């Protein structure tokens, strides 16, 4: 397979649906692979007037989660920005979920700065509070108060710009190449409320990945199979079989079928969360220590 690193600059606030707590509509701090797959597939189908919908759904499934990256270069030169980019990869530190700042050309995550999720949200997340008003008496309408979170394009602290980095893989077919990515995805809309001015990303750079270790740092091999190193924070969700010994959290992830008027859950499974660590050799019920090697990347998840 051919693999490309996609780097998007954030042109508008974005909202990535995460949880709804009462009146608070919370945003996630990264873009899950299935959300980015949905944005790419939707854009591709619009260009092609929604031809071959079922076939098109399979084009972009070999995609990782996308993580935020800061660039604090005051110079607008592209190479200067790329050299200053620091990707925020997920990690747990002392039981707390957050990110570790890693230059995109570096694979060692141990000696870099840890940014807790609260620190990231303080720097990049803002909120809109709104309510409906009764036209007669000008009072707030019952049960209409809600808060809507979004991720800002720039830091509130130092005005650094936010970018998004992830990988996509294509089978070795001539038409699936860098030109296709630039032609279709120069502008992309991702997440919720895009009709209200949210979610615009602009393709900043496309880089073909030729080094195996660069893929390995994203938990994948050249053919898309899982490559999970012990004690290394996960970049992708890993389907939980009950045999793994890990540090971190378990998440219940539902996959939806959006082809119907009202979306339905097509399947739901437990996954080891991103940022968690596999801490010992894994053995399946059949005694196989390498069974995770038969897991494949699928929309930010590694599963059989």
């Amino acid at each position: 397979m051919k693999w490309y690193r996609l780097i998007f600059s954030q042109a508008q606030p974005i909202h990535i649906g995460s949880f709804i707590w009462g009146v608070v509509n919370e945003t996630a701090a990264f873009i899950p692979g299935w959300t980015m797959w949905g944005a790419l597939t939707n854009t591709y189908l619009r260009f092609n007037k929604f031809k071959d919908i079922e076939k098109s759904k399979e084009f972009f499934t070999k995609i990782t989660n996308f993580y935020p990256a800061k660039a604090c270069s005051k110079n607008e030169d592209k190479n200067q920005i790329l050299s200053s980019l620091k990707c925020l990869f997920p990690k747990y530190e002392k039981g707390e979920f957050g990110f570790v700042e890693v230059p995109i050309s570096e694979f060692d995550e141990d000696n870099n700065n840890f940014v807790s999720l609260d620190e990231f949200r303080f720097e990049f997340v803002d909120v809109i509070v709104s309510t409906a008003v009764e036209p007669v008496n000008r009072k707030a309408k019952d049960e209409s108060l809600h808060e809507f979170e979004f991720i800002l394009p720039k830091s509130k602290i130092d005005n650094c710009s936010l970018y998004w980095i992830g990988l996509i893989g294509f089978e070795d077919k001539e038409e699936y190449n860098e030109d296709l990515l630039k032609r279709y995805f120069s502008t992309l809309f991702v997440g919720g409320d895009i009709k209200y001015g949210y979610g615009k990303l602009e393709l900043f750079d496309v880089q073909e990945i030729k080094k195996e270790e660069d893929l390995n740092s994203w938990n994948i091999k050249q053919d898309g199979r899982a490559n999970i190193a012990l004690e290394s924070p996960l970049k992708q969700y890993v389907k939980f079989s009950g045999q793994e010994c890990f540090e971190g959290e378990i998440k219940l992830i539902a996959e939806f079928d959006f082809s119907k008027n009202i979306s339905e859950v097509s399947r739901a499974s437990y996954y080891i969360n991103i940022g968690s660590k596999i801490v010992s050799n894994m053995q399946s019920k059949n005694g196989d220590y390498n069974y995770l090697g038969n897991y494949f990347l699928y929309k930010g998840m590694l599963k059989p």
Side-chain angles (χ1 to χ4, degrees):
M1 297 185 69
K2 283 186 176 178
W3 291 89
Y4 297 92
R5 177 189 290 118
L6 303 182
I7 303 176
F8 289 94
S9 61
Q10 185 177 327
Q12 292 175 341
I14 64 172
H15 170 79
I16 307 298
S18 177
F19 297 104
I20 297 177
W21 303 100
V23 299
V24 180
N25 199 346
E26 186 177 294
T27 183
F30 70 102
I31 305 175
W34 56 85
T35 299
M36 187 58 83
W37 165 84
L40 293 173
T41 302
N42 184 50
T43 303
Y44 180 81
L45 286 171
R46 287 181 184 277
F47 269 103
N48 290 284
K49 300 181 180 178
F50 293 91
K51 295 178 181 176
D52 300 324
I53 292 178
E54 292 304 318
K55 185 179 178 182
S56 299
K57 286 181 180 178
E58 301 301 317
F59 289 165
F60 311 112
T61 56
K62 298 297 183 188
I63 191 166
T64 67
N65 299 311
F66 276 62
Y67 295 108
K70 287 178 64 174
C72 297
S73 173
K74 295 181 181 178
N75 194 321
E76 294 185 356
D77 178 75
K78 184 175 181 178
N79 291 327
Q80 290 280 343
I81 293 173
L82 288 173
S83 64
S84 70
L85 269 179
K86 287 187 176 180
C87 191
L88 298 173
F89 284 136
K91 182 181 182 181
Y92 284 87
E93 190 163 288
K94 297 179 180 179
E96 183 179 17
F97 181 83
F99 299 98
V100 58
E101 290 185 339
V102 185
I104 58 173
S105 59
E106 190 175 307
F107 307 112
D108 182 11
E109 302 172 20
D110 292 335
N111 298 317
N112 287 289
N113 183 43
F114 179 77
V115 179
S116 71
L117 182 59
D118 286 341
E119 290 173 324
F120 176 84
R121 297 176 69 83
F122 177 79
E123 185 172 1
F124 284 106
V125 175
D126 212 337
V127 62
I128 289 177
V129 181
S130 65
T131 186
V133 176
E134 295 281 3
V136 177
N137 54 26
R138 308 296 294 170
K139 291 182 178 178
K141 192 173 182 179
D142 286 346
E143 299 182 357
S144 64
L145 176 68
H146 70 276
E147 296 182 15
F148 181 83
E149 290 187 347
F150 51 89
I151 303 173
L152 297 164
K154 288 184 179 291
S155 166
K156 289 181 282 188
I157 298 175
D158 51 17
N159 210 35
C160 292
S161 298
L162 201 62
Y163 293 76
W164 295 89
I165 297 179
L167 308 185
I168 189 167
F170 293 128
E171 302 291 341
D172 290 326
K173 294 181 180 179
E174 188 175 345
E175 63 270 30
Y176 299 150
N177 52 35
E178 186 175 331
D179 290 338
L180 179 146
L181 293 166
K182 290 180 177 177
R183 185 167 69 251
Y184 285 100
F185 307 123
S186 59
T187 299
L188 197 67
F189 290 88
V190 67
D193 273 1
I194 59 176
K195 293 180 180 178
Y196 296 92
Y198 287 82
K200 185 178 180 181
L201 302 179
E202 294 177 344
L203 188 60
F204 183 74
D205 197 29
V206 180
Q207 303 166 346
E208 184 175 353
I209 295 180
K210 298 179 179 179
K211 294 180 180 178
E212 187 76 21
E213 60 264 37
D214 208 351
L215 290 174
N216 296 162
S217 68
W218 288 78
N219 302 137
I220 49 179
K221 295 181 179 179
Q222 190 73 36
D223 59 3
R225 284 185 298 150
N227 184 7
I228 299 172
L230 297 178
E231 301 287 351
S232 179
L234 297 172
K235 309 293 192 312
Q236 319 303 327
Y237 292 98
V238 176
K239 190 168 185 179
F240 181 61
S241 71
Q243 308 304 310
E244 298 85 358
C245 184
F246 69 95
E247 295 176 355
E249 287 183 280
I250 291 285
K251 296 281 187 182
L252 178 62
I253 296 177
E255 297 177 52
F256 288 86
D257 179 2
F258 292 103
S259 62
K260 301 178 181 179
N261 289 334
I262 300 176
S263 58
E264 296 179 351
V265 174
S266 57
R267 64 180 69 87
S269 303
Y270 285 102
Y271 286 80
I272 302 174
N273 195 27
I274 56 171
S276 303
K277 294 179 180 178
I278 305 290
V279 296
S280 67
N281 286 331
M282 300 147 284
Q283 185 177 23
S284 72
K285 293 179 181 178
N286 297 325
D288 179 8
Y289 279 98
N290 297 314
Y291 69 102
L292 288 179
N294 294 321
Y295 283 21
F296 283 84
L297 178 67
Y298 183 80
K299 302 178 187 175
M301 299 173 283
L302 294 169
K303 61 183 186 177

